[in-house]
Amino acid sequence: MKKMSKEYIRHELIKTLHSNYNVAPDDASDTQVYNALSTIVMEHLNEKRNSFNNRINSQGRKQIYYLSMEFLMGRSLKTSLYNLEIVEDVRNILKEYDINLEKIYENEPDAGLGNGGLGRLAACYLDAMATQEIPAMGYSICYEYGIFKQKIDDGWQTELPDNWMPGGEVWLDPKPERAVEVHFEGELHEYWDSQYHHISHHNYSTVLAIPYDMYVSGYNSDGVSVLRLWTAKSPSFDMAMFNQGDYAKALSQNSIANAISKVLYPNDNHLEGKSLRLRQQYFLCAASIGDIVTNHMSVYGTLENLHDKVAIHINDTHPTLAVPELMRILLDDCGYSWDKAWHIVKNTFAYTNHTVMAEALEKWDINLLKSIVPRIFSIIVEINNRYCQKLSQLSENNYEKTNRMSIIKNNHIHMASLCVAASHSVNGVSKLHSEIIKQDVFADEYEYFPLKFKNVTNGIAYRRWLYQSNPGLTNLLSSKIGDKFLKDGDELKKFGVFENDKAVLDELAKIKRTNKENFLKYAKNYCNLDFEIDPDSIFDVQVKRLHEYKRQHLNALNIIADYNYLLENPDADYTPRTYIFAAKAAPGYYLAKQIIKMIWCISEEIRKNKKISEKLNVFFLEDYKVTLSELLMPASDISEQISLAGTEASGTGNMKLMLNGAITLGTLDGANVEIKQAVGDDNIIIFGMTAEEVSAKKAMGYSPRNYYDSNNTIKQAVNRMYHGINGCNFNDVANSLQNSDPYMVLADFDSYRAAQKLSSELYNDKYKWLKMSLNNIAGAGVFSADRAVKDYARDIWGIL
Ligand code: 26Q
């Protein structure tokens, strides 16, 4: 498909502004220009997708369906202009009318249909699959409200609804003709007719799933991925009204059904076993499987070859019910035998695990499932019966082992066990995590099905965080290594030859400095930055969801220790540093909210002491989201990746930061291990226990109190939490550290503090630091999502 010419874009812009708003470009508001531009891009994407689809179908290629409860898309306009390679043309056209493209971007809300890493990963993969021309469709829910908007009120997190539709809806292409009926509750009737076993479902309640499509163009490719988002409507929903374009009226009809797509659950790495969440999950699965089956039937007229032509990927266990749903269709609607249906299912599904934390492993009460999705429940029971039988054979009647692997235990359905049983592939998201899965979470399963277990280390849509977010660095790279790196991350390696080139290193320093200024300007205009930050200070950045395992409180404890030190040694030689935090806490996560307030109080108190705040400054940036990350990553010097080893499955912020030249200060956890391999030991600052040391320490019985009692720096810092920071005490945080410290903050504290000290020394050795920075940029290519989806294609989906 040809790219849009500049003349065509100008013509369409004038035409669209005229027909939609009756204005000329000179008189149009920014919102009108945003809407018009987005509409033009959207129409082009739609056509591009159609021609890509036609090609794919005529070639009979395998389709990839990526099911995820979350897709954290961020903004679409900027990314689309870059990927379609029309950004310069559009910028110049707008300039003719004295319109600033950067300001137009600001009219778009983030599509925040996700919590954090897992949701953003799904979005990155749509971009990468389009770029690699892998035919892909993502499925999720069109939440009316995405991840809440965070306001910091006197240091406390408050949550406001994220009403993203005004401004976001231009990117949604309604497809009412593809609506699917989803059935909940009701009763099952079983009967036999000439040796066939029939099951029928009665008195169910129906919810309509109506899809809206978003398009993601590949960069410099013919590929376009579709993200199909389902909205839930009660069947009284008036389709005629909808088709006539009266969306608003049709959508206003309320019912319980509508609640299903109302709001994203704001939990990250923590299970919430509520019935509405279960309804959401089944809704996504039933609608998507229905759609996949319809698609496949329309091309092939049979489901016999489904597993040859379709790969369904489930993003963690959240869409697990897709498995029994496909079984249901094959058994009840198509009349396949159990064994045949199971064969198709097993060869179709692949599962990615994203967590090893016990509290995040999904399990559902059998009675809840039985009442909400009775047929699905009965299929899971049958899957489990047959699976346990097989396990008994394999284990020679080892009852304990079989029971450990059983899908149903203690009146709960264990979704991860179901996923492992029903998928041909199970993968972790970093080398370390994939090993932990085999040795720990799924150790029994690994013993019997070793070949199922794989690794695909996460990757990021790196163009978004480099080309689109860091033009200074992009220009420098292009001038030194050409622009092949935009399509091939491996090319970044070539930048490594400049590690000792002072002119290049000086250029790098200048770019970083400009990015820091730009970030500060933006944060003053659009965020909650209402004090001065020195752009020459080290920008030490920890941005991610707030969770104890990620140990923002380790970072905070060290800042308190530095503050204590500076109070006693006000004239000490201390390399000026600004700690930048951004993090949303799950609304019900008490300690996480305390930690946010504590960081905010540290920031306030320090700033009351002018002398200290010239050296040590803290900023808690509110409402962290994709768009903010795009501004912050290019401005960062240090990337804090300090989770307790063995807890962070991979991390992806670590990759975005290194790509922008930040130095990782981190533990040997998740993908940090591979970052170290990629950049070499000299270009990363590692501290803390290894995952093995953590296990050993746990086994010995860990006692945080010993560290508190024997280490004065720790004692004084923790005591400050008790006594008050900015007039507020943090007894619960302090007690948790002193008495249980589940994530071993105190055990890693000394080592962390030494690493922090080392980072200052390295920073002061200017060219050494810049060399490290350059080597991080040069080593980031392997963490591209392009590489990751190619790994999936080759090792899991069998299509390369
Ligand atoms: C489950 C049930 C009910 C309600 C919510 C949830 C739920 C929602 C989101 C559970 C977990 C999540 C999100 C998990 C997540 O983001 N994990 C991160 O995935 C990244 C991509 O692989 C990794 O880089 C991170 O290490 C991992 O923490």
Side-chain angles (χ1 to χ4, degrees):
M1 180 98 181
K2 261 181 53 201
K3 81 173 212 192
M4 287 186 272
S5 73
K6 190 168 173 184
E7 291 64 42
Y8 174 80
I9 299 169
R10 187 190 288 105
H11 176 258
E12 287 297 299
L13 183 66
I14 294 169
K15 194 178 93 187
T16 312
L17 283 171
H18 179 74
S19 62
N20 289 3
Y21 306 108
N22 201 18
V23 289
D26 287 315
D27 303 321
S29 69
D30 284 356
T31 322
Q32 288 170 336
V33 174
Y34 160 72
N35 277 321
L37 257 182
S38 305
T39 308
I40 296 164
V41 168
M42 192 59 186
E43 268 164 25
H44 179 78
L45 288 173
N46 190 340
E47 281 171 34
K48 187 171 172 180
R49 168 68 186 190
N50 285 341
S51 58
F52 180 58
N53 229 10
N54 289 341
R55 191 180 102 196
I56 294 304
N57 282 341
S58 69
Q59 292 168 340
R61 282 179 59 189
K62 197 170 190 176
Q63 279 278 347
I64 310 305
Y65 295 107
Y66 199 88
L67 267 60
S68 176
M69 286 290 283
E70 310 191 1
F71 278 84
L72 194 47
M73 301 296 282
R75 288 177 176 165
S76 284
L77 179 59
K78 186 173 180 177
T79 250
S80 302
L81 297 184
Y82 273 88
N83 280 0
L84 295 170
E85 297 172 89
I86 54 172
V87 66
E88 285 316 315
D89 285 347
V90 170
R91 196 189 304 283
N92 291 328
I93 293 169
L94 294 186
K95 227 186 248 162
E96 293 167 19
Y97 304 106
D98 217 15
I99 302 167
N100 178 347
L101 179 58
E102 301 303 314
K103 272 178 69 192
I104 299 301
Y105 292 148
E106 292 305 319
N107 286 270
E108 182 175 356
D110 272 40
L113 310 182
N115 275 286
L118 166 147
R120 182 55 229 175
L121 189 79
C124 285
Y125 286 175
L126 288 183
D127 177 295
M129 287 191 278
T131 301
Q132 300 306 317
E133 300 187 357
I134 295 172
M137 185 133 164
Y139 283 108
S140 194
I141 293 176
C142 193
Y143 303 105
E144 201 176 319
Y145 299 97
I147 186 68
F148 62 83
K149 203 171 142 47
Q150 180 193 50
K151 285 257 6 126
I152 301 294
D153 200 348
D154 198 33
W156 297 110
Q157 167 175 301
T158 55
E159 299 92 21
L160 297 174
D162 163 51
N163 192 2
W164 68 287
M165 281 309 179
E169 82 284 2
V170 263
W171 299 102
L172 297 173
D173 187 5
K175 292 281 162 70
E177 72 281 3
R178 303 290 312 234
V180 178
E181 270 194 16
V182 180
H183 297 164
F184 290 96
E185 284 127 0
E187 299 113 39
L188 300 180
H189 294 174
E190 292 188 44
Y191 61 95
W192 289 87
D193 108 56
S194 58
Q195 29 150 324
Y196 286 109
H197 182 212
H198 291 266
I199 294 208
S200 59
H201 191 186
H202 300 268
N203 296 329
Y204 47 76
S205 49
T206 300
V207 174
L208 268 185
I210 298 154
Y212 290 76
D213 287 353
M214 283 180 87
Y215 304 107
V216 180
S217 171
Y219 170 71
N220 184 236
S221 89
D222 286 336
V224 178
S225 300
V226 177
L227 173 57
R228 182 155 285 179
L229 298 170
W230 300 102
T231 45
K233 290 289 155 237
S234 74
S236 60
F237 175 76
D238 193 328
M239 195 62 79
M241 201 187 286
F242 185 90
N243 285 335
Q244 286 156 17
D246 198 349
Y247 305 130
K249 200 161 171 198
L251 295 177
S252 71
Q253 298 176 354
N254 250 337
S255 74
I256 296 177
N258 298 0
I260 292 179
S261 55
K262 197 51 97 186
V263 60
L264 167 79
Y265 270 84
N267 300 344
D268 178 90
N269 277 303
H270 184 82
L271 154 75
E272 178 135 346
K274 298 275 163 60
S275 69
L276 179 59
R277 169 76 183 189
L278 184 64
R279 280 177 203 273
Q280 288 186 331
Q281 293 186 354
Y282 181 64
F283 173 74
L284 166 66
C285 296
S288 309
I289 294 293
D291 197 52
I292 291 168
V293 165
T294 305
N295 268 348
H296 187 81
M297 289 297 287
S298 75
V299 181
Y300 298 99
T302 170
L303 295 180
E304 299 261 327
N305 63 345
L306 188 77
H307 50 293
D308 291 329
K309 298 295 178 188
V310 163
I312 304 178
H313 206 92
I314 50 182
N315 199 22
D316 216 306
T317 54
H318 318 153
T320 306
L321 296 179
V323 166
E325 176 64 11
L326 182 56
M327 283 299 283
R328 185 190 69 73
I329 290 176
L330 295 171
L331 296 168
D332 300 357
D333 297 354
C334 306
Y336 285 135
S337 70
W338 182 278
D339 288 339
K340 182 154 189 183
W342 187 240
H343 174 80
I344 294 173
V345 163
K346 253 183 66 171
N347 287 292
T348 302
F349 281 97
Y351 152 61
T352 298
N353 173 285
H354 296 264
T355 189
V356 294
M357 305 241 294
E359 72 263 32
L361 289 176
E362 271 193 293
K363 48 182 203 275
W364 289 99
D365 185 284
I366 51 170
N367 291 316
L368 192 66
L369 239 96
K370 202 172 174 177
S371 74
I372 291 183
V373 282
R375 178 60 181 138
I376 293 305
F377 173 73
S378 75
I379 289 172
I380 295 174
V381 169
E382 184 62 24
I383 291 175
N384 191 47
N385 287 343
R386 291 170 184 249
Y387 184 55
C388 287
Q389 231 169 36
K390 179 170 159 188
L391 293 174
S392 287
Q393 277 167 15
L394 287 172
S395 68
E396 294 170 347
N397 299 320
N398 184 327
Y399 173 78
E400 267 169 29
K401 262 191 188 167
T402 303
N403 190 47
R404 279 204 299 267
M405 289 183 270
S406 174
I407 296 162
I408 304 177
K409 264 183 303 198
N410 304 324
N411 293 327
H412 281 84
I413 299 182
H414 292 250
M415 303 306 248
S417 307
L418 176 50
C419 281
V420 177
S423 305
H424 63 85
S425 166
V426 177
N427 76 286
V429 289
S430 71
K431 281 184 191 159
L432 175 67
H433 170 63
S434 296
E435 282 310 306
I436 293 177
I437 284 179
K438 292 189 287 187
Q439 307 312 331
D440 191 354
V441 195
F442 302 126
D444 295 310
E445 287 87 347
Y446 177 57
E447 187 183 339
Y448 295 110
F449 315 108
L451 298 180
K452 268 192 196 184
F453 288 83
K454 294 171 190 169
N455 171 248
V456 179
T457 298
N458 282 168
I460 56 169
Y462 71 102
R463 285 169 291 271
R464 185 182 272 262
W465 280 275
L466 182 56
Y467 185 29
Q468 295 165 35
S469 306
N470 197 341
L473 180 55
T474 305
N475 289 339
L476 176 63
L477 286 166
S478 304
S479 73
K480 295 296 161 196
I481 61 170
D483 55 14
K484 285 212 200 94
F485 71 90
L486 290 173
K487 192 76 192 265
D488 176 2
D490 272 348
E491 289 278 315
L492 285 170
K493 276 191 197 128
K494 294 187 175 157
F495 195 45
V497 302
F498 298 99
E499 62 172 4
N500 294 314
D501 184 327
K502 284 210 166 154
V504 173
L505 296 176
D506 282 331
E507 196 54 36
L508 212 51
K510 237 168 71 192
I511 292 164
K512 183 64 79 182
R513 169 69 206 222
T514 308
N515 290 341
K516 286 161 99 169
E517 282 168 12
N518 288 344
F519 168 72
L520 293 177
K521 217 184 289 164
Y522 186 92
K524 278 190 177 164
N525 283 334
Y526 295 99
C527 312
N528 58 323
L529 178 58
D530 54 6
F531 52 87
E532 287 307 311
I533 288 178
D534 174 8
D536 284 321
S537 63
I538 301 175
F539 279 18
D540 181 322
V541 173
Q542 188 173 16
V543 287
K544 47 185 81 251
R545 286 296 290 246
L546 210 135
H547 204 294
E548 286 164 90
Y549 86 79
K550 295 177 188 279
R551 301 200 295 191
Q552 280 93 350
H553 52 335
L554 171 58
N555 192 341
L557 193 70
N558 178 60
I559 298 172
I560 297 172
D562 271 3
Y563 176 55
N564 284 342
Y565 172 77
L566 287 172
L567 280 173
E568 281 179 17
N569 307 280
D571 296 314
D573 195 13
Y574 184 94
T575 308
R577 192 183 285 243
T578 301
Y579 288 93
I580 299 174
F581 290 87
K584 288 180 182 176
Y589 190 168
Y590 170 78
L591 217 55
K593 287 183 156 179
Q594 289 282 315
I595 293 169
I596 291 176
K597 168 78 172 173
M598 187 172 82
I599 293 166
W600 188 86
C601 282
I602 298 170
S603 166
E604 290 290 304
E605 178 161 330
I606 288 178
R607 254 173 302 105
K608 288 182 181 158
N609 185 327
K610 187 148 187 303
K611 194 155 179 187
I612 293 184
S613 68
E614 275 168 7
K615 298 174 179 173
L616 172 61
N617 206 349
V618 177
F619 174 36
F620 192 99
L621 174 63
E622 79 185 0
D623 201 35
Y624 186 56
K625 54 184 168 188
V626 175
T627 299
L628 270 183
S629 84
E630 290 165 16
L631 272 136
L632 182 54
M633 301 300 175
S636 302
D637 295 310
I638 290 181
S639 159
E640 298 263 358
Q641 307 300 336
I642 61 178
S643 51
L644 176 68
T647 60
E648 188 71 274
S650 161
T652 42
N654 46 4
M655 301 167 185
K656 294 161 198 168
L657 283 157
M658 81 180 287
L659 174 69
N660 281 284
I663 312 302
T664 303
L665 194 165
T667 49
L668 285 176
D669 198 15
N672 300 350
V673 178
E674 287 154 83
I675 291 179
K676 176 168 172 278
Q677 272 169 13
V679 300
D681 296 1
D682 291 344
N683 297 307
I684 189 165
I685 304 168
I686 295 293
F687 75 96
M689 293 178 281
T690 62
E692 273 162 16
E693 287 163 351
V694 168
S695 304
K697 197 167 199 76
K698 274 193 188 146
M700 303 249 304
Y702 169 59
S703 160
R705 172 77 63 163
N706 294 344
Y707 289 90
Y708 174 87
D709 287 337
S710 64
N711 184 323
N712 249 328
T713 313
I714 290 181
K715 188 182 266 176
Q716 282 169 13
V718 173
N719 285 352
R720 193 171 277 283
M721 295 181 187
Y722 282 121
H723 297 146
I725 304 169
N726 202 44
C728 213
N729 50 43
F730 295 94
N731 295 339
D732 295 318
V733 182
N735 280 335
S736 159
L737 285 175
Q738 216 184 46
N739 300 325
S740 58
D741 193 14
Y743 298 101
M744 297 181 162
V745 167
L746 301 193
D748 271 347
F749 181 79
D750 271 349
S751 166
Y752 179 56
R753 207 160 159 68
Q756 284 287 13
K757 188 159 170 272
L758 175 63
S759 72
S760 286
E761 286 159 18
L762 289 167
Y763 188 82
N764 287 327
D765 191 342
K766 183 177 163 194
Y767 287 104
K768 189 166 193 177
W769 184 265
L770 288 168
K771 181 176 172 176
M772 290 173 78
S773 177
L774 183 142
N775 278 313
N776 272 272
I777 299 162
V782 19
F783 301 107
S784 94
D786 299 342
R787 186 273 310 150
V789 301
K790 281 192 267 183
D791 287 357
Y792 277 101
R794 188 188 59 237
D795 299 341
I796 295 178
W797 305 326
I799 54 169
L800 275 193

